[in-house]
Amino acid sequence: MVSPHDLRSTFEAALLGPSPPTPSQRIELLHAVRCSVPLFKSFLSYPGPKASDRAEVESKEVRIPGSSPILLDDTDVQIALKLSDDLNLNEIECVRLLVAANSKWVLFGREPLEILRLTAGLWYMERRDLIASLHVLLRTVIVDEWLDADLISDIHKHLEDIFSSGLGQRLIFLIKELNREESAGLGGPSAEKYVLDFRGAIIERRAVVAGERLSLSHCLVLSILILQMTPKDVKDVFSILKDCCAEANSSTTHLQIIFSLLFTLIISLITDALNTTPEKPSKLFNDSSFGHEFHDLIMAPINDPNVEGFIDCVRFGWMIHVMIVQERSNSRATSGALPIHLADFHSCLEHVCSHNVFRFFLSGVLQTAAYQNQDEHIIYMYNGYLHKLMMCFLSYPLSRDKVKDMKDKAMSAISPYLLSGDRTLSSKQVSDIGYESFVSLLEFISEIYQFLMNSSSQKEPELLYGNEELWAFIHFAGEDHTNIHTLVAFLKLLGTLASTEEGASKVYELLHGKIFRSIGWSTLFDCLSIYDGMFKQALQTSGNLLPDIQEGDAQALVGYLNVLQKVVENGNPSERRRWFQDIEPLFKLLGYENVPPYLKGALRNAIASFIKVSPALKDTIWNYLEQYDLPVAVAPFSPIGQHAPSQIYDMQFELNEVEARRERYPSTISFLNLLNTLIAQEKDESDRGRRFVGIFRFVYDHVFGPFPQRAYADPYEKWQLVLSCLQHFQMALKMYNINKEESGKANNMSLSPGVADTSTIDSQIPALELLKDFMSGKIAFCNIMSIISLGADIIISERTSQSYGQLLEEALKLSLEILVLVMDRDIFLADFWRPLHQPLDVILSQNPNWIFTLLEYIRYDFSPQIQQNSIKIMSILSSRMIGLVQLVLKSNAAKCLVEDYAACLESRFEECESIENAKDDLGVLILQLLIDNINRPAPNVAHLLLRFDIDSPVEHSILQPKVHYSCLKVMLDNLEKLSRPDINTLLHEFGFQLLYELCMDPLTSGPTMYLLSTKKYLFFSKHLDTICTNPLPKRSHNQSLRVSMLHERAWLIKLLALELHTADMGESTHREACLSILSLCFTQIAGGNYQSPELSRTSEFDASNFAQRTTKKKKGHTWHSVLRLYCSSMKEMKEVKLKHEVGLVLELLDVVQFRTPDIGLQCPQLLPAFKFDAQVNDILKSSSTSEKGGVYYYSERGDRLLDLDALHEKLWQLCSQGSYTINDAEKTELRASIQQFLRWAWRYNKNLEEQAAQLHMLSGWSQIVEVSISKRMLLLEDRSQILFELLGASLSASASPDCTLRMAYVLSNVALTCMAKLRDERFLCPGGVDSDSVTCLDIISVKQLSNGACHSILYKLMMAILRNESSETLRRRQYALLLGYFQYCRSILNPDVPASILRYLLSTEHDDDDELNLQKIGKEQAELEGANFSIIKKEAQAIINLVTKDAMQGSEVGKPVSCYVLDAFLSIDRDKFFLNQLQSRGILRSCLTEINNFSCKPVQDAWCSLESQQRLCTLEAQLSLLLRVSDNYGKHGAQILLSMGALDQLGSSKAVLLQSQTSRWYGTPSARDRLGEADKKRLLVIPVLRLVSSLTSLVESSEYLEVKNKIVREVLDFVKGHQSTFNQILKEDISDADELTLERSNLVVSILSKVWPYEENDEYGFVQELFSMMHILFRFEFASSNFAKFEFPIYFKNI
């Protein structure tokens, strides 16, 4: 049977996701629904205690079906029996729970009480999952109508079957039973009162049970629409409702349960009545006695006032039910009477109206925090049925008459201004006035539609529009108002209906026309003008004495203004511009001191709605405010609490003297909101907000500064005031960038009260003043911290229990955002402002409790934004405070913080909706926080949150995710399942990155890699053959998912490569992990079962020494056979069958091979006529981020992307700053052009991210390939074939047109590694360098790839080199690869060794008669060289052009390798083809010219630079090329060089002079430090002498006269020109010389011996030096070590 947790996960993944379920999800969903039917039919029914089972448990051996016997100890028995007693649960079931708890958390080492609580918590988690599963199904069928109708129908059928079997009655029973003080409910007196949740946090059992009851009550409400309740069910629910209402429990959860029961009854009654037809009678009235019984039951007297109001609501629903049933049954011939007596109906109707049930619905239900904080879908359902309830009440004749009577009484009850003029009326007198019921009715209807209009899940707009009954009531209620209170209530209803665009248009037309005689827009504006005229006249006649505005008029004006505000805010943008042409009357009353503050508040709120109508109207509003509204004085101010009375009536006076006395602040709140809205629309930021400094000072000094000390009649207004201030501060910090000059100037000013003359204030920048406050811990900082210091628990309580809770939450969010904004700038400013001002972390560290409070908001799950800011603050503090972890440990808050972060991460993994912006993703923020902290000094935040041992060295930690709840456990559990990839793909990506970073860090790598390689996780081999090779989503379908999956695979592959690289093969876990990875990547295990070989503890054992021990007197062993011999000797190798193919690793390469989207900056033109292209390109070329005035930002992965908002703003600024006049048509075209530009920018971002992801995965692939073949090659069979396939695949991929330049660079590195390993496979001595057992046969018969395979490699390499998009950097690697290929193809037999000698060596080593066919080997080698020549010849024109261009025009780094490639071409040349090609391109002459132009300046350290060393390498390569021409083509080649003046060029070159200057240059201390003996050997003397010696070969093959006249003269001139070099070499002591010194001597002797005989005199003394050298050599003993080791080098070697 499927587990409740899996059931819930399946349902949520398929039904609550952002998109409809896929076909596979749909199949899985329907299968799960069918499997869940037995679970739901026995819903939360568990076997009870049983004596026999108790005895079995006490016997300490328990048998659970489907498992082996379980042995228990005494503690286990006690815990199981205690669980049975506490939960009324069967003893065997309790043992099953213990086993499950141990599997989930590892109970070993825990206290018995902790085990008991964990196990009980697990049981409640299973129950919660089952309840949640039912709730998801019910919600899907009832609410989520957007899903496929057939799917909904299938689920509906199953639910009908389940509820028909009695699930509804079971829900009612559970809601009642769980509220009892017994083991099956809240727990008995001896039961354990606490349980541990999945985090390990202690929770009261009562709270858990209350949560279950609430979920069950929600399921009960939804179930009514699946299957109608029976009369008995209705009575039972009513009984439970009465009992719950009578309880003295005012908790939010308890109230929500009451609401659910109340609406269960109301919805049940309404749906039953609305489903009644003449053919289908009411289901409830099928029971003839039900009507009278239930009526008597609900009408019974109730003395408890807590119960009365809710029962009145039920009575109201019952009355509507009876009325609908009567109305719908009238057409039936069999019945024409009410189900109850008519007198009873009227008495019920009169009762609910006289008790004003509408007022209780408002104050007791809809306006409570408990109601408003419920699930949005539940609230929408409740209000939807309240809508139906009220529409029936307003439309049916029996109740319509009552409504008319209520209105008549309200209109005739009292004169319009009695209540406003007489404040001595008692509450009883007020209730007796008669208008209250009708006013409550209007307000109740308004509140219902307020919820419906504001609901984001609104799905039935026809509830308001096209609703004839509603609009008929509006017309009725709006006529003939004689009472202010009814007028105000009616206007409030109109304002609610104007909350959408259609409603705003409808309401505007109602008040614009003549539908109502006394209500209209003209009434509003006429009244404002009349009062303005009256006040002006009074000022002219009586001075300062102004008449008061009657309170009734003020309230009516407020009602009108609220309607005006809603209409303008929500009206159609194009229509509302024409609605109100003259808004000046709205401003005229603002400056009068006798106007009530609440009226000023309404006026300003209405004015604020006009700001976004048009930019011109915004400027008009500024002008009118300066003309009419109260001024904000910019003057010296007094300290807080010592306000000096102002001489004028300004905002300061009104706040401190008028509103403060009344303890209400509507005027100030509206004033700040209006200014905030205006300032937010400002685009000119040139003055950094200086023009608003007066407003800022007013907010800072007079509003926000003293707000904690003020008295408030309504806490709601307090937090409104705080919100306005915080919004102003946030804007000041966000809108304006601060530069260094302003920061330096601001340091000379102070926010202290004593220095505030007007000139100083005028020059202040609000953002800087606010930053100085925070960085010195002043007023604003302290007040914000006082809000934050309330703590998460208090704010959660206020949020759920108080009407102002949402405002408090918003204030907290803004406070945290302001702190984050300050922390973004404080480090920069602290450099200018120290020591008076310090970074915010220094200020916070003065009170550690501030830090703890900031960090604990991670658990505030009501608002993701608050959690985001808490994480950001943690990230900033962790980067600045080295001792943050120790500080947390001292506070004993570490455990809670670790669990809160883990719970937040787990909650994010379980979400069913994707988050578009990764910067708002809590899971990504947490994982980035951990990644950023890994490399910081230990112990750091990552160590803390991942549960490393921070009390001892971190590297010695033993990670136990199954024991400790932490982010590590959450991450590993979810990476194991990889569920919901479309939603959690970013979390998976960063999870793999986190593991990789942990394995890379020297402190955490050991514990982490050990954990991942254990059998509990087997992490290194789990996903390689699944997620890594699955096809990627199409770019057009979901590019973000495609990008994230590429990164996810990249991190996983890099993690596996790291394991292969660092694993200790002596550890069994790591050894098995490596073998598993290699078997998946390179070979397939045919048998499936094998035991890993026991290898050496070192990560790389010595192959040569190992081969010596195992290959003595063996012939032709492959490395795999050697490995088998070794493993056999260890007695741990079983028979393994390996399939010789490279499988998965090439599949990974196939995944990443696709055409990369274009990321070129060919942006579209804005308007060609205005020539903006140059400015746009300048904007795009600037690398500045949006925070520094640019248009770029760095994503969470580090990609530099275009900030679309900043780019949009820059483009509009560019267009507006031009000198062109743009007409309306061009504006429209420009707007469309900008939108097209932004779409291009969006595509650019997406394509850039995909290209980076593709390259990232390819880099990971290259790592795992290179590590495998470099360090773990001995573990693989048929290595040459593997290397060949990898090399071929890499070359083919790099030659592909889909391959980018960067990808080709990565692939060329892989190819280089493969080629190097191929060379090693062929040329490394099989038995080791010092082995005596290696025979000549072993060397000659080393395996080589077939000629066909070699030709394939060369052909692919040619294609890769000649690819369209290339660079010198890439070609250098490709040239190196080509040289490696030629070296691999070189014959292992030296052609200078005679074949007879080889035959003799072979015959002496082997006793058999088999003779090696040396001719066959030579033939195959010749064929290979010929084929190589032919392949290159086909592409000769292109390839030689490319190489010669690099050799002649390339950089100093690229020239040498290009020359060596040409050298290699010449080495395989036939018929002088390549030589002619090089001659025709002038490369040889170019080399000679560069050699001639070589200059050496004997400056100290001149040749220590990298540039000089590169130049030396280039010259050496050029000399090698020239030497190849002379050597390979004999006399012809030498003559070519001589004809080009080679000796003259060499003679005039300074290269040979280096020999004579070397001793002088290297004598300096710095040179000796930088260049050692090896550097001396790289000088150019030997290559030059080799070339000259090669050219002297013409002396021997030429006639005497020709020699004397030409060749000899040139050589002699060269020798004479470099006499000092020759003398120095001849005088070198060769008694203890190295090989290079001997070679120099031999070359000089060779040259002199060939040309000096033609010299007639010995004025240079060369002959004497030669005889001296001979004398020294002859004195050597024959057996001396130097002479024995001396060999004359072979100068001209094959390449």
Side-chain angles (χ1 to χ4, degrees), residues 907-921:
S907 175
R908 169 59 188 87
F909 269 110
E910 293 175 353
E911 284 186 8
C912 301
E913 295 184 2
S914 58
I915 300 174
E916 293 184 4
N917 191 350
K919 293 183 178 179
D920 298 332
D921 193 321

Side-chain angles (χ1 to χ4, degrees), residues 1285-1298:
E1285 293 186 24
L1286 288 173
L1287 178 58
S1290 301
L1291 293 174
S1292 298
S1294 64
S1296 170
D1298 296 340

Side-chain angles (χ1 to χ4, degrees), residues 95-105 122 126:
V95 174
R96 183 197 66 80
L97 285 173
L98 275 174
V99 174
N102 184 64
S103 174
K104 187 175 182 65
W105 286 301
L122 177 62
E126 291 181 356

